Structure formats: structure tokens, C-alpha cells
Amino acid sequence: MRSKHKDPKRQEDAKGKKRAAPVTEIIDTAESDSDEAGASESDLDDDLGDADEMEVDGKNDAASTKDPNANHESHAAQRALLASRRAAKPHAALLVEVKRIWAQSRQKDREHKNEGTGAKRDGLREERGAKVKELMDLMRGRVLDLVLKHDASRVIQTIIKHGTPANRLEVAKELEGHYLQLVQGKYSKFIVSKLIRYCPQSRGLILPSLTPEVPRLLHHAYASSVLADAYELHCTGAERTQLLRAFWGREATLFGDGIPSGKKVKKNKDVEALIAAQDMERRKRTLASVRENLLGIFNNHSAIAARHAITHRALWEYLDALASTDLFPDDKFTDQERECSWREVYESCQEQLAEMVHTRDGSRVVREFIARGTAKDRKQIVKVLKPHAVRMAQSDDAQLVLFCALDTIDDTKLIAKQLLAELMPSPPTSSLPSSLLTSPAGRRMLLYLLIPRSLRHFTPVILSSLAVTDDLRSKTSKKDEAVRRDEVRRAASPAMLGLIEARGVEMSRDPKGSLVVAEIMLFAEGDKSLASQVLLAPLSSPYPSLPGTDSHPIDIPHTSRLYKTLLQGGHYSMATHSLSRSPSFDAGAFASAFVQTAGRENIVKMSLGGGGFVVAELCERLRQEGDAVTRNEIASWFEAKVRAELDKSTIKGKDVLLAKLNALNEVS
């Protein structure tokens, strides 16, 4: 029974590459690595049982006999029958010898993995190489005859993986002309995948035979994973373009792409260059061919083809070309024609949008649909994405779709009920999924609800990706951007503050979690008194911390920085070279609560220990916003003896602290 999500790193190969897993993909944790969802990159090193022995059905197991020798005689007859069947098979003697040597090579492989570096490991590698050479000598000229057998297929995989480049190319040439058949085989597909991965020279033999059938093969249960791995993990830019040409139609395949010889094009502009080199009628035919191939994929109602990056790339190139007035001027291609073509593709794939968001091009496509669509279209898109919102928030590419939805959809009540309810269930009935706090992408999702497009937390690459749809959004969204952001922030704030109340201490002690705590306290809207109490409570513990106990918050750099930021009431802006205060946070009230919770003894010891900067900021905040009673109380704690001790110390921030204390005395 399928019950748990796939680990996105499940398909990681030996070189660290991985194919991004769709946010909709779920499997049982007991699923083996050679399962069809990810078997294309599996090394298939699990022990191979003697499958031939399964050809004899053990019907006698269910029967009982009084003769004590009956079972022995029955088993002997079965073994004899099995031996005769084996002997009657083609290449029977060869397979027996091949399996024997293959088993030895696999044993050397296990020993090689278990040994450390050094001469012994090098020796094991040489022994394994000798066994692989024996296998190649035995199978030379017979690879095609054996490749469709499950056991012999694994032997050939071993040759490809551990053999020399010459061995791999020799295997590739023996199979030349049969790759279209092999890629659709249950066992032989692994041969093709291994050749593409380990033998780059073989791609010139493999890809031309697969390219004309790419749209059809993407639907195939076995071939689709081979094409997906090849496109996403192993092929060069030129090879990926070659695979994409199948979407351009038979005319481009048979009569050329129309690009002048010698003309260099950027790999992300191949379709644009192709169409630009054609006359208008041929441009329309090429665009129609891409559309027909895409409709064939999406109308198939199969998630196999719709989830692959090659499909997403073809779809994005189609939408990009469709919107280009340079390729299709308005006098040759009317707005009504564009809209009809766009809507036809959108309606065919709208139920499968969740299958696309995990890739860069797929994410870009869905963001285009959101930005260009009507309010009804956006509502439907949100409905499709809602069940997968949490997993999308943890994916670098998929979360951009959520960011775009927050930036674009005017109906913020829909956002709150559909997406925010999944991401941040309201307390006390539920709690925030912990995965949003433990992953960098998840934390970015939380921060975007409060401070979208902040340079403090979002890289220029992310911001430039989001900015692509801004022009289109300005034409289709009516609500003011600042109003929309305020409404989203207001809707997310109760759950955010509830998170601090429930897990604030734990989060503040985590380097990354403390950043989230600071932004929630500064920018969330609502009553923050309880959240402040939760964060300040650890300060009441003795300072410095007692032996055998956890470090005091002031001695934890990122936690100490959190308190300093909250006492400031905002962040320092490098652009204005001044403190940028948050209007949603009362730093003066926080400073007063800090004094009441920490107490005189702890605050004085903090100033003489690792909390000099924190106490300095406390004094500054009380000087500006504190009441007279609290200011006088703090000033009385730092009497001449304490100041003298502070002046003689070598702690960090003592000069700043003494200056703040002098300023505090002036207003006390």
C-alpha cells in the first residue's frame, strides 16, 4: 500500500546527480531501488536468484504423501526436468559460464566497496577488471542475442559499468540499430540507460534512433524513464535539443530545421531560432506540430510523460514562441488566435500542473499560467496544487509557483483557505509541519509570507526568476501589490505567532531557525506579548549557565544576535546606513519585559560576560522608549564599581556598552 512520499534524493546516482522527484510521487518505503520509478539509475546490484528454477511450479508442495521417499523422488524429477529445459535453451552452456564469472566479479565488487583506499583496493579493482574482460571475451558477437534475457542483461550492465571505454563502445556498436526495441524492454532498457550514462560516445548511435519517437516513448512504461534520465542527467545541451526536435514535427525532422548552416544559436533559443528562419506558413505548421504533440501527451491522462523535464521544456518553448510578436506579428497571428492556442494547451494540462512544478521549466510554465489566467483559471490551479502545497514549499523550483500565486492572485481569502491552511494550520488544532523549519526551502516559504522579495533572505537568482512574470501580472491582477501583501501577511500571522509560542525556544537556539523567529516577531501582525514571554523565559536562568546544563542563550551567538535584533526593533540597512525599524513590533515593550525577566544579577553578569552588545542595545532602547522608572533602575545597577570592572575587562563591546550607559545616565 502506498502511503509515504518519496525521498527527493532517492534517485541519486553514483556521481551525485539526481532526477527531481515530482511533488505528487508517493511510494512504500520498502520499495526496492530497482523499481520502475527509479530503476533506470539503479545499479541493480541486488543478488540475482536463479530465476530458471522458478519455471517449475512447485505444485507438489501442497500435496502430502505417505511414502517417505516421494518428496525426494519428486525433487529429483524436477531437477532433471529443469536441467533438460536449460540445456535446450539457446546459448545454454555460454550462460552457465557467464553467470559463474559474473558472480565472481560481483563478489570482487562488494569487497572493493568494503575496503578502504590503498594497495588492496587497487588489487581488487584489477581482479574485477580481469573478470570483466573474461565476460567481454565470452559475449563478444553475442550481445544482441542475450540482451533481452534478465540475467544476461545484468551481466552486460556489469561490463558497461566496470569495463573499459573500449568495451562499452564495442557493446554499443553490437546493439546499433536495435535501440528503439531495447529501450522498450523490461530488462534491456537498463542496457540503454547504462550506455548513455557511462559511454558518451554511444549517444551518437542511440539518440538518432530514439529522437523521432520521443513523444510516443514518453508514454511507454519502460522507455520513459530512460529518456528522462538521459535528458535531465547525462545529455549535453546539443543532445537535449536533439531529443526536443521530435516535438517540432515530421517536417522539421525530415526536411531540416531551417536554421542556416554555420549559424550558432543559444541552447535556450533553439525553437525561436528554428521558427525565425522559416516563412510564416511553415512557422505556423511547426507551432501546430508542437501543440499536437503536447496535446497528445496531456490528453493521454497519464502522469508518466507529463512529469518529465523534456515535456516541460517543450511546453515552455511553445508558450514562449506563441507569445512572441517578433515571430508571429499581430497582423499575421491575431490575439484571438494566440488566446485560443494558449487556452487549448492550458485546458488539456490543467489537471496535471502538480506534475510539472518540480522542474525549472515546469515551474516556469505553471507560473505563466497563473500570471496569464483569469480569476477562474487561478482558482482551478490553486485547487490542483493544494494537496501538494507542503511538498512544493520544500522544493526550490516548486516553491516559486507558490511565491507567484501569493504575488498574483487577488483573492487573498482563497489563498488563506486553500494554500495557507495547508502550509500553516491554525493552532491549537494542528501544528506547522516540521519539515518547513528543517529545510532551507521550507524556511524561505515562511519568510516569503512575511517579507516577500527581501534581499536579506532571497538571492538575486530567485528574485530575477520571480520578476519574469511581473509585467504580465500587472496586466491581469487588479489589486494593489502592497495591499495584497498586507492581506497575506495578516492571514499568516496567527499561525506564525502560534509557532513561536509553541516552539520559540527550540527555534531560537537553531542558527537558521533564529532568523525565522526574528522576522516573525518583527513583521507578523497581532498580539506578541505571549511570544515575547516565551523567548525571554530562558534569560531567567542563571548566567553563566551551570556545569552540565545547556548553554545560556546569551552565550549562543545566533541567539544573542536574535535578542539584539529584537531590542533594535529592526535590521540595519546597508542602503541607507541606518536602522530600518519595523512598524509591527514594539521594541520598547520588549526591552521592558527583558529587564523584568532577566533581572539585575543576570543583566550585570551578561554585561561582564558575552552579552555586552545585547545589554548595550537594551540601554539604548530604554533610553529612547523606556519609562523613567525602568531607566533609573537600570542605571542604578551599573554603579561605579561595576563600571570600573567593566572598563578593566577585555570583553567584546565594552566601549559601546559604556557609551550607552553614559547616554542612559544623561536622561535618567
Side-chain angles (χ1 to χ4, degrees):
M1 182 178 179
R2 303 187 304 174
S3 60
K4 296 188 177 181
H5 291 294
K6 280 189 176 180
D7 181 359
K9 296 183 179 180
R10 173 182 56 80
Q11 299 176 22
E12 189 167 358
D13 68 9
K15 296 183 180 180
K17 295 181 180 179
K18 61 179 181 293
R19 179 151 52 93
V23 298
T24 58
E25 194 171 39
I26 53 176
I27 62 166
D28 187 357
T29 54
E31 184 179 10
S32 66
D33 287 341
S34 60
D35 212 10
E36 294 308 319
S40 55
E41 282 303 315
S42 168
D43 288 338
L44 296 173
D45 284 335
D46 50 319
D47 290 332
L48 175 65
D50 195 346
D52 291 335
E53 295 179 0
M54 299 176 64
E55 295 177 1
V56 179
D57 192 1
K59 297 179 181 179
N60 292 334
D61 292 344
S64 60
T65 177
K66 296 180 180 180
D67 186 353
N69 297 322
N71 287 338
H72 177 74
E73 295 173 356
S74 175
H75 291 165
Q78 288 180 359
R79 286 192 293 270
L81 179 60
L82 179 60
S84 64
R85 287 182 176 178
R86 284 177 174 171
K89 289 182 178 181
H91 308 292
L94 174 63
L95 285 174
V96 172
E97 180 64 13
V98 164
K99 286 183 182 180
R100 182 186 66 79
I101 300 175
W102 179 64
Q104 294 175 358
S105 70
R106 283 169 52 81
Q107 182 63 35
K108 297 300 180 186
D109 190 30
R110 292 194 187 95
E111 294 175 0
H112 179 267
K113 290 179 180 179
N114 294 332
E115 290 293 335
T117 59
K120 187 171 183 180
R121 186 167 186 173
D122 293 338
L124 290 172
R125 185 185 294 111
E126 292 178 2
E127 292 181 35
R128 183 183 62 194
K131 296 297 180 183
V132 170
K133 183 178 182 301
E134 288 185 52
L135 289 174
M136 190 66 225
D137 292 339
L138 286 172
M139 302 191 71
R140 183 173 287 109
R142 304 170 182 174
V143 173
L144 184 60
D145 298 333
L146 303 174
V147 73
L148 297 178
K149 298 179 179 295
H150 76 96
D151 44 4
S153 172
R154 293 191 174 188
V155 175
I156 299 171
Q157 289 179 62
T158 299
I159 294 174
I160 296 172
K161 181 179 179 182
H162 299 298
T164 63
N167 295 148
R168 296 166 182 165
L169 190 57
E170 186 176 357
V171 171
K173 289 182 177 179
E174 284 199 34
L175 299 177
E176 186 176 2
H178 301 276
Y179 287 113
L180 185 59
Q181 174 194 2
L182 297 177
V183 80
Q184 300 175 73
K186 184 176 182 180
Y187 305 112
S188 57
K189 70 166 187 173
F190 298 115
I191 302 290
V192 182
S193 184
K194 285 288 193 295
L195 283 173
I196 293 174
R197 174 181 172 183
Y198 291 106
C199 185
Q201 301 93 325
S202 69
R203 296 174 196 164
L205 305 175
I206 299 173
L207 298 184
S209 61
L210 303 183
T211 297
E213 302 294 332
V214 165
R216 180 181 67 83
L217 293 177
L218 286 173
H219 293 292
H220 197 277
Y222 301 141
S224 62
S225 60
V226 178
L227 286 176
D229 285 340
Y231 183 84
E232 297 181 48
L233 302 179
H234 309 307
C235 287
T236 64
E239 290 165 347
R240 287 195 293 269
T241 299
Q242 182 181 354
L243 291 174
L244 278 170
R245 289 190 182 187
F247 288 90
W248 301 351
R250 296 287 183 182
E251 185 175 1
T253 302
L254 296 176
F255 302 107
D257 49 25
I259 300 177
S261 59
K263 181 180 179 180
K264 295 182 179 180
V265 297
K266 296 181 179 179
K267 64 181 180 180
N268 62 335
K269 295 293 185 182
D270 289 317
V271 169
E272 182 176 337
L274 162 70
I275 298 178
Q278 301 171 348
D279 58 66
M280 184 55 61
E281 290 303 317
R282 189 173 176 186
R283 291 182 190 182
K284 291 184 178 181
R285 290 197 300 271
T286 300
L287 201 66
S289 296
V290 179
R291 181 174 66 251
E292 290 174 6
N293 283 315
L294 291 172
L295 293 177
I297 288 175
F298 296 126
N299 291 334
N300 188 266
H301 300 293
S302 171
I304 296 178
R307 65 177 47 179
H308 293 321
I310 185 173
T311 304
H312 307 163
R313 181 63 187 177
L315 177 54
W316 167 241
E317 290 183 337
Y318 171 78
L319 295 176
D320 191 33
L322 184 65
S324 174
T325 55
D326 294 333
L327 297 178
F328 297 97
D330 292 336
D331 59 332
K332 303 292 184 180
F333 205 72
T334 65
D335 290 342
Q336 184 178 2
E337 288 180 291
R338 295 181 202 274
E339 177 64 23
C340 289
S341 299
W342 180 90
R343 185 152 296 280
E344 184 178 13
V345 172
Y346 164 71
E347 291 179 352
S348 69
C349 67
Q350 63 179 344
E351 297 297 332
Q352 303 178 60
L353 294 182
E355 301 285 354
M356 304 182 191
V357 295
H358 63 286
T359 67
R360 184 183 62 180
D361 293 316
S363 172
R364 182 67 183 86
V365 165
V366 180
R367 283 182 278 140
E368 180 79 6
F369 285 146
I370 293 175
R372 188 179 293 275
T374 64
K376 184 177 179 181
D377 296 332
R378 293 169 179 175
K379 185 176 182 179
Q380 175 63 26
I381 292 173
V382 170
K383 180 181 177 181
V384 172
L385 300 181
K386 175 187 175 182
H388 314 288
V390 174
R391 290 203 66 197
M392 288 176 63
Q394 301 170 64
S395 168
D396 291 339
D397 291 311
Q399 70 173 190
L400 296 181
V401 175
L402 297 179
F403 294 169
C404 180
L406 295 174
D407 290 340
T408 306
I409 299 177
D410 291 335
D411 189 355
T412 52
K413 291 185 178 180
L414 173 69
I415 291 290
K417 291 180 180 179
Q418 300 292 331
L419 296 181
L420 298 189
E422 292 290 323
L423 293 171
M424 306 195 61
S426 299
T429 56
S430 302
S431 61
L432 183 77
S434 59
S435 55
L436 294 184
L437 297 176
T438 56
S439 66
R443 289 189 291 267
R444 280 199 302 270
M445 184 71 244
L446 298 179
L447 294 171
Y448 202 85
L449 296 172
L450 298 173
I451 44 173
R453 306 205 183 187
S454 168
L455 287 172
R456 191 179 303 111
H457 299 289
F458 300 96
T459 65
V461 174
I462 294 177
L463 297 181
S464 62
S465 297
L466 294 173
V468 172
T469 55
D470 284 351
D471 290 341
L472 190 57
R473 180 190 65 181
S474 64
K475 301 175 184 178
T476 58
S477 298
K478 300 178 181 180
K479 185 174 291 188
D480 182 74
E481 182 179 351
V483 173
R484 187 190 304 108
R485 289 182 176 182
D486 289 342
E487 291 176 353
V488 170
R489 184 185 302 112
R490 195 175 302 117
S493 291
M496 292 279 198
L497 294 175
L499 173 65
I500 301 299
E501 295 167 5
R503 304 177 59 179
V505 175
E506 171 193 348
M507 293 173 61
S508 66
R509 300 180 74 89
D510 178 71
K512 302 298 183 182
S514 63
L515 299 177
V516 178
V517 172
E519 305 301 356
I520 292 176
M521 292 297 294
L522 290 175
F523 297 102
E525 299 183 10
D527 183 7
K528 302 175 183 176
S529 57
L530 181 55
S532 296
Q533 292 176 18
V534 170
L535 293 176
L536 292 171
L539 297 178
S540 61
S541 60
Y543 183 86
S545 58
L546 300 175
T549 61
D550 292 336
S551 300
H552 196 278
I554 294 298
D555 289 334
I556 303 175
H558 48 270
T559 310
S560 177
R561 193 178 305 114
L562 166 64
Y563 290 122
K564 181 175 180 289
T565 300
L566 296 180
L567 288 169
Q568 288 176 339
H571 297 285
Y572 183 80
S573 173
M574 296 299 294
T576 61
H577 299 286
S578 62
L579 183 65
S580 178
R581 296 286 299 275
S582 169
S584 303
F585 183 69
D586 188 350
F590 187 80
S592 298
F594 188 105
V595 173
Q596 296 172 6
T597 304
R600 173 176 181 171
E601 183 179 357
N602 268 2
I603 290 178
V604 171
K605 289 183 177 180
M606 289 175 191
S607 67
L608 297 171
F613 287 110
V614 176
V615 177
E617 197 56 49
L618 173 65
C619 294
E620 178 64 17
R621 189 55 48 222
L622 291 174
R623 183 184 71 83
Q624 295 182 6
E625 302 176 22
D627 58 88
V629 175
T630 306
R631 287 199 301 266
N632 293 333
E633 185 179 10
I634 284 289
S636 66
W637 292 352
F638 289 89
E639 52 194 14
K641 181 180 179 180
V642 176
R643 293 182 181 228
E645 185 178 355
L646 182 61
D647 188 45
K648 294 178 181 179
S649 67
T650 59
I651 65 169
K652 293 182 180 180
K654 73 168 185 177
D655 294 334
V656 176
L657 176 55
L658 288 172
K660 299 295 184 182
L661 286 172
N662 292 333
L664 181 64
N665 284 337
E666 292 177 0
V667 298
S668 299

